[in-house]
């Protein structure tokens, strides 16, 4: 698997509580909830991740 190119969420506050996202291929999105991306990593598809983002945006 190629190395993760982690991108920190633009909604992060100060401190360690942030979401990091990495798309290592056109079919895979990785998500971690920590300033240390070697912690637990969730893997999903771009379609499912997009649905999550749409749901979160709609709940504002």
């Amino acid at each position: 698997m190629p190395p993760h190119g982690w991108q920190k969420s633009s909604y992060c506050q100060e401190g360690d509580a942030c979401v990091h996202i990495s798309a290592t291929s056109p079919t895979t999105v990785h998500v971690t909830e920590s300033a240390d991306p070697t912690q637990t990593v969730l893997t999903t598809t771009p379609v499912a991740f997009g649905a999550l983002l749409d749901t979160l945006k709609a709940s504002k």
Side-chain angles (χ1 to χ4, degrees):
M1 176 167 67
H4 295 289
W6 293 107
Q7 178 180 355
K8 185 163 84 169
S9 169
S10 60
Y11 290 96
C12 281
Q13 301 290 323
E14 292 295 320
D16 291 339
C18 289
V19 173
H20 291 77
I21 301 142
S22 174
T24 56
S25 79
T27 60
T28 307
V29 175
H30 303 284
V31 181
T32 188
E33 178 198 9
S34 173
D36 180 4
T38 62
Q39 298 289 325
T40 301
V41 176
L42 303 175
T43 302
T44 189
T45 65
V47 172
F49 185 68
L52 172 64
L53 293 179
D54 290 342
T55 300
L56 292 172
K57 289 175 186 177
S59 68
K60 281 187 168 185

